[in-house]
Structures are given as C-alpha cells and as structure tokens.
C-alpha cells in the first residue's frame, strides 16, 4: 500500500488564533499529500471572530470544519479526542494553531514512516522562530535533532523518558491503532501526547521521529513562565505513575544544561550562563513541586499552575 496516496485529515485545537493561524491554513492547502478535512476545535467563539469572519473562511476552504467550545470545556486530551471523532481518514495530523509548516512536504514526511506497519505515531521537528532567544533555540535543537529515528518499548531501558518523548504540536496518528488504544487520556493537565506515546510502546507499536517534517514553533518563556509550565509537567508525572514511574528525568535535564553551557561558551555568549541557571532552576523547582502537588495547599497549587482552569474541574 502506498501510504502517500492515503488521505489524511488535519486537526487543530485553537485558542485566540493569530494571523499565523491564517497562514497555517494557506500552507495546508499547498501540501503535496491530499488533505481531507481540516478540523478546527476553537476555544471561545468570540476570540475566533476577532480574527476573521467565520462564514468567509468556510467559503474559502470547502474542507474546513470549525467547532467551538467554551474554555471550561477545554481539556488537552478530551478536546483532541473530539477533533479525532470528527475525522474519518485512516491517518490524521495534529497541529497547534501556532505551528507553521516549513514547506509543502510536511504532511508527506509525517505519513512516510507509516509504511512500517509497526508505527502508530510520527512526530515532526520543531524549529525556532526568528525572534527566538539563544537558550530556547538550543533547546529546540536538543529535543528535535536533525536525524530521524524510530523508538520501541525495548528502547526505554537505554533512552528512559526520551523513548516516548513525542509532541502533538506536529504529529500524525494511525486511526486504527489510535481507536484501539482508546485515544488520548480524556482528562489531563498536560502531556497527553507522551501519555499516549507510552501506551503505544507498551502495546508493542513504535513511534517515529520524522526530522524532515518541520514546523516553526518556539516560545520565549521567562523563568517564571517556565516555572508554571513545568509545574503542570510535574503534575502530569505525579498523576500518572503508570507512565512516568521509575523513569528519571533529571539526567536529561542535567545533560541539556551541560551541553547548553558548552554551546554558550563556544558561541561567545558566556554572559547568558546565569540566565540558563535561573531558567533551569525555575524549571526544576516547578517540576518538583508539581510532582508532589497533592502535598500542597489547593490555593498554592492553583497559583503555581499555568493551566488554572484545570483545577476548577
């Protein structure tokens, strides 16, 4: 079977979409692989209407499907499952509304790994935006290298958490396997992509990293923002010991800090080492507190969290 002749839908959760979202729609219509439906699950209709007239957008793109939900209804896993339920293609691609395809071959490169019947998910490479800071730029390269590869359950022993590291900022899924495994966890603060990826490995399937499938996607988070984000990351680890239990993450963090230090010195930016330590400390503190959130007062948990609405549910 020629995978590249298969039709794929694209699912995009959106919240306060910017002009980048409109450019994303344009790039999707330039892809070399046939795209079935482009399914947008937007949080809060009023924010969507501030950007564009919905009727005009639906006239322009006949394959566009838009559904609106309230902020209270949003959940990282449940919302994406809702989008997947509106798709009927054998493969579907998940993108965030701020991820910009680098070229017209994105979907083609994401689907190519599925020629191996063992692969259940393929995720792409995230490249830094032009305004990206040096530290974030290096982090992107650390997490998303130039070389493609595949990962299976046997790799967990040597790779640890990296074996099921996978991001649905830009990822493709095989529907048959996705439905068989029950899709994403329906209620989670964060990490629904990695929780599903671990489930894939445990079920005997593989994850492909498609380095040729590139999107522009990066953030310039401050140390405090890193703290909040990593607090939620820690919460997801604490809530799912069946996924993350017994797997250390500190070694990867230390490795990244060491390599980043060397990079900063090599590139003539030693003055940024202090900022690196500050941001790394914020990440580590946030993660540790989040992992033990059950021991903290509820008011403090909500104050530390980036996704404060999660605690209202």
């Amino acid at each position: 079977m020629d995978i590249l002749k298969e039709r794929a839908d694209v699912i995009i959760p959106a919240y306060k979409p910017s002009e980048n979202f409109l450019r994303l729609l344009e790039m999707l219509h330039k892809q070399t692989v046939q795209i079935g439906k482009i399914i947008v699950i937007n949080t809060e209709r009023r924010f969507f209407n501030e950007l564009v007239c919905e009727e005009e957008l639906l006239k322009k793109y006949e394959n566009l499907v838009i559904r609106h939900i309230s902020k209270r209804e949003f959940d990282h896993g449940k919302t994406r499952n809702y989008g997947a339920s509106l798709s009927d293609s054998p493969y579907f691609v998940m993108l965030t509304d701020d991820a910009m395809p680098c070229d017209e071959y994105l979907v083609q490169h994401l689907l190519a790994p599925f020629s191996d019947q063992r692969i259940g998910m393929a995720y792409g490479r995230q490249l830094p935006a032009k305004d990206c800071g040096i530290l974030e730029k290096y982090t992107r390269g650390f997490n998303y290298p130039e070389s493609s590869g595949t990962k299976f359950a046997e790799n967990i022993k040597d790779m640890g958490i990296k074996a099921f590291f996978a991001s649905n900022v830009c990822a493709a899924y095989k529907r048959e396997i996705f439905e068989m495994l029950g899709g994403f966890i329906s209620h989670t603060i964060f990490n629904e992509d990695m929780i599903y990826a671990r489930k894939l490995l445990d079920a005997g399937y593989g994850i492909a990293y498609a380095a040729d499938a590139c999107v522009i996607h990066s953030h310039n988070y401050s140390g405090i923002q890193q703290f909040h984000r990593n607090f939620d990351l820690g919460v997801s680890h604490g809530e799912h010991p069946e996924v993350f239990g017994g797997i250390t993450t500190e070694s990867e963090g230390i490795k990244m800090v060491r390599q980043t230090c060397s990079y900063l010195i090599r590139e003539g930016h030693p003055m940024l080492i202090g900022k690196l330590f500050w941001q790394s400390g914020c990440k580590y503190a946030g993660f540790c507190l989040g992992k033990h959130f059950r021991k903290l007062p509820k008011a403090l948990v909500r104050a530390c969290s980036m996704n404060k609405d999660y605690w209202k549910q």
Side-chain angles (χ1 to χ4, degrees):
M1 180 176 64
D2 188 348
I3 295 297
L4 300 183
K5 291 183 179 179
E6 293 289 327
R7 182 169 59 91
D9 292 337
V10 177
I11 299 164
I12 308 170
Y15 179 58
K16 295 184 179 181
S18 66
E19 292 291 333
N20 192 78
F21 169 71
L22 300 180
R23 293 194 294 272
L24 169 58
L25 293 180
E26 290 288 344
M27 284 300 298
L28 289 176
H29 282 83
K30 295 178 181 179
Q31 294 296 303
T32 56
V33 172
Q34 179 189 4
I35 292 177
K37 291 182 284 189
I38 298 176
I39 301 165
V40 178
I41 309 299
N42 175 69
T43 301
E44 297 296 344
R45 183 190 295 267
R46 69 183 187 277
F47 295 131
F48 194 88
N49 291 341
E50 288 175 3
L51 174 69
V52 67
C53 174
E54 185 174 332
E55 291 184 3
E56 291 181 2
L57 206 59
L58 291 171
K59 287 180 181 179
K60 183 176 182 181
Y61 303 114
E62 294 182 355
N63 63 340
L64 183 62
V65 176
I66 301 174
R67 296 289 185 271
H68 298 282
I69 61 174
S70 67
K71 194 172 181 181
R72 189 174 186 82
E73 292 175 293
F74 175 82
D75 180 271
H76 284 279
K78 183 175 68 174
T79 299
R80 286 174 169 84
N81 284 339
Y82 176 40
S85 74
L86 301 176
S87 165
D88 55 6
S89 290
Y91 302 91
F92 59 86
V93 173
M94 290 276 176
L95 291 171
T96 55
D97 64 2
D98 61 346
M100 178 59 61
C102 290
D103 55 38
E104 65 271 28
Y105 301 103
L106 173 69
V107 177
Q108 177 179 324
H109 290 316
L110 280 175
L111 293 183
F114 293 104
S115 58
D116 182 340
Q117 294 298 306
R118 300 174 299 168
I119 298 300
M121 172 187 184
Y123 69 102
R125 186 181 182 194
Q126 297 181 33
L127 299 176
K130 291 181 179 179
D131 65 346
C132 182
I134 293 174
L135 296 181
E136 173 69 4
K137 181 179 180 180
Y138 187 82
T139 299
R140 291 288 132 177
F142 182 87
N143 289 327
Y144 302 96
E146 296 180 357
S147 300
S148 299
T150 54
K151 300 177 287 188
F152 293 89
E154 57 263 30
N155 297 121
I156 295 176
K157 182 179 179 180
D158 297 324
M159 297 180 66
I161 198 169
K162 277 288 189 178
F164 53 98
F165 173 80
S167 172
N168 59 20
V169 163
C170 170
Y173 297 83
K174 189 173 183 178
R175 170 173 300 284
E176 179 183 7
I177 297 175
F178 185 83
E179 292 181 347
M180 182 180 66
L181 296 179
F184 297 118
I185 186 170
S186 60
H187 182 57
T188 183
I189 192 170
F190 201 47
N191 254 358
E192 76 290 339
D193 40 17
M194 288 184 64
I195 294 170
Y196 176 79
R198 176 63 190 265
K199 188 160 53 173
L200 261 179
L201 297 187
D202 290 344
Y205 297 102
I207 302 165
Y209 170 55
D212 291 334
C214 299
V215 293
I216 303 297
H217 181 262
S218 58
H219 298 288
N220 287 316
Y221 286 142
S222 67
I224 299 302
Q225 288 173 316
Q226 295 282 15
F227 172 87
H228 291 309
R229 184 178 187 276
N230 280 269
F231 180 87
D232 289 355
L233 179 65
V235 169
S236 74
H237 281 236
E239 287 187 325
H240 299 284
E242 77 283 2
V243 175
F244 302 103
I247 296 179
T248 61
T249 59
E250 286 82 359
S251 58
E252 275 298 310
I254 293 171
K255 178 181 176 182
M256 187 174 73
V257 171
R258 285 176 174 170
Q259 290 188 7
T260 306
C261 277
S262 297
Y263 170 79
L264 291 174
I265 294 171
R266 188 169 62 250
E267 296 296 316
H269 301 288
M271 71 291 297
L272 290 177
I273 291 177
K275 182 178 181 180
L276 169 66
F277 286 165
W278 159 248
Q279 291 200 347
S280 300
C282 288
K283 289 179 182 179
Y284 185 68
F287 178 78
C288 289
L289 280 173
K291 194 172 181 180
H292 300 95
F293 75 97
R294 291 184 179 90
K295 298 179 181 180
L296 304 177
K298 290 183 179 179
L300 180 59
V301 168
R302 193 166 185 272
C304 290
S305 178
M306 178 174 277
N307 185 4
K308 300 185 188 304
D309 288 332
Y310 179 77
W311 305 102
K312 297 178 182 179
Q313 301 177 23

